[in-house]
Amino acid sequence: MKKKKMTLDVNEKPSLGKWVILAIQHVFAMFGATILVPILVNAAAGETVLTIPVALVTSGIGTLIYILCTKGKSPVYLGSSFAFIAPIAAAYAKGGIAGAMTGVMVVGLIYVIVALIIKLIGKDWLDKILPPVIIGPMIMIIGLGLAPSAISQMGLASGSVLEWKVVLVAFVAFIVTAVVMTMAKGFLKVIPFLIGIIAGYIMACILGMVDFKAVMDASFFSVPEFAVPFLTYKPTFVAVLTIAPIALVTICEHIGDHTSLSNIIEKDLLKDPGLDRTLMGDGIATFVAGLLGGPANTTYGENTSVVGLTKVASVWVIGLAAIFAIIIGFLGKFTALVSTIPNAVLGGVSLLLYGFIAVNGLKVLIKNQVNFEKAKNVIVASSMLVLGLGGAAISITSGDLSVSFSGMSLAAIVGIILNLVIPEEHDEDEETEVVKKAKKEEKSVSLSEKIEELKNSIKEELTVQLREDIIESIREEINKDNKETKKKSKK
């Protein structure tokens, strides 16, 4: 009997107690990145563009939309996308909240359009421009690109003053998570990140690193500050080109995360429920996020990592985590409490999460047997990794129009162009293999012919031998009859 791959499969529902705890773990996994996007966007813009409660609510709503679109067949969590931090800030500078949110909604529509094209004509064209040699490095860039954030949160960034408390808390969160992952048994092995975060938080409290003033000042219930078109602003397309091109990156990220998750749960999500449905869910979720004043959504590698490391793929758990995220967005005190988790705690856990994302990119290359003996594959992958991780950026400005490509987006575009432009090389080894195969087939045909000739020859020989045996038998019968006749005559 084949051993079961996952502790809980996609359609399996855990008991109530485990269900709640597993969902909370996913909330913690997505929480740091989801609330960090509004913080970074506001810091880049110099004003409040996004709010944490709205980001949490749109994250939860988006995930539920995705689950409906994919018929509950894909355990993916959608959260705030890091790829849109700089573009949203730039769009806000050009067109205010109207320019930023209109741009986010357009990105969602681009997803929907691509999904409809795939539905009508298939995804072969997408496979051609986004083969494994591009998707693999893209996943690696996503994970490794986030690595500096984890290192900074742990207080180990180059040039920073070493604070022993920060390092100790990060180490506790990391080591507890790692130990639980490798040594724990039963249900504890399924929630290593939650246990790691709790351990790190307790240590931070002991060291006096947690300030509860924000929790005391926050109200128990508060309505998020949604930004709705035609109610709080009038949509404008002045900054659409600043944000729209990033859809290319997040589509790569989408495919990469789903390919990675498919490898983990051993179900091809790009075939069932299908890339058209997953993109449709992601696109509608992003459109709704922009409609409510939230950041663009994207598939979360952190939660994919949780699925892979805990072996729990239940879409019921993902759905409950989404509901919790929506509720938290309306709970002022709880949002404030979770916000008190020090960066050091998140950094310690993220050290494992971000690394797991990068390793999954490597697994895509290995599973698809990408041949790096070919110069073309080396050129494509190496160019993408250097551009994506090196901080490369290109800005095109014409009057009031400005389009910027940096990091992840630039790597994706360059990788696609190089893969399409560079011709396939003629590999002598491959030609030799072709020749060998042809000779083998020729030899096989020759052997078949010989066998057929031998069969015919044997058949002819058998026929002759059979004829001779029959004649000999008849002769013997005739001789026997003659002898009998002679005996009777003598009598």
Side-chain angles (χ1 to χ4, degrees), residues 105-115 244-245 247 251:
M105 286 188 282
V106 168
V107 168
L109 291 176
I110 291 174
Y111 267 62
V112 171
I113 292 170
V114 173
I251 286 176

Side-chain angles (χ1 to χ4, degrees), residues 9-204:
D9 215 337
V10 176
N11 59 343
E12 293 180 328
K13 184 178 178 181
S15 60
L16 182 59
K18 291 182 179 180
W19 189 14
V20 171
I21 295 174
L22 289 169
I24 291 173
Q25 180 172 242
H26 272 285
V27 172
F28 276 111
M30 69 82 184
F31 196 86
T34 301
I35 69 171
L36 190 57
V37 170
I39 292 171
L40 294 178
V41 168
N42 296 342
E47 297 181 50
T48 301
V49 182
L50 304 172
T51 64
I52 291 174
V54 172
L56 288 169
V57 171
T58 55
S59 168
I61 292 175
T63 300
L64 293 178
I65 290 172
Y66 173 89
I67 290 173
L68 288 174
C69 288
T70 57
K71 298 182 177 181
K73 294 182 177 181
S74 178
V76 163
Y77 192 93
L78 301 182
S80 306
S81 174
F82 276 78
F84 289 93
I85 292 174
I88 289 178
Y92 181 81
K94 287 183 180 181
I97 191 68
M101 292 302 104
T102 302
V104 170
M105 286 188 282
V106 168
V107 168
L109 291 176
I110 291 174
Y111 267 62
V112 171
I113 292 170
V114 173
L116 291 174
I117 293 174
I118 292 173
K119 178 73 174 177
L120 292 173
I121 65 174
K123 68 180 185 75
D124 289 346
W125 63 277
L126 200 57
D127 291 337
K128 186 176 181 180
I129 64 173
L130 296 173
V133 73
I134 291 177
I135 292 177
M138 278 304 305
I139 300 174
M140 295 173 72
I141 290 170
I142 293 167
L144 296 176
L146 293 170
S149 172
I151 298 302
S152 177
Q153 289 175 325
M154 295 174 69
L156 298 176
S158 177
S160 62
V161 178
L162 188 65
E163 297 182 23
W164 68 270
K165 290 184 178 180
V166 173
V167 176
L168 178 59
V169 168
F171 176 76
V172 169
F174 168 79
I175 201 67
V176 169
T177 304
V179 169
V180 171
M181 284 174 58
T182 55
M183 304 293 291
K185 295 181 179 179
F187 184 62
L188 290 180
K189 192 177 181 67
V190 181
I191 54 171
F193 298 103
L194 182 58
I195 295 175
I197 290 171
I198 292 173
Y201 189 71
I202 291 172
M203 177 57 70

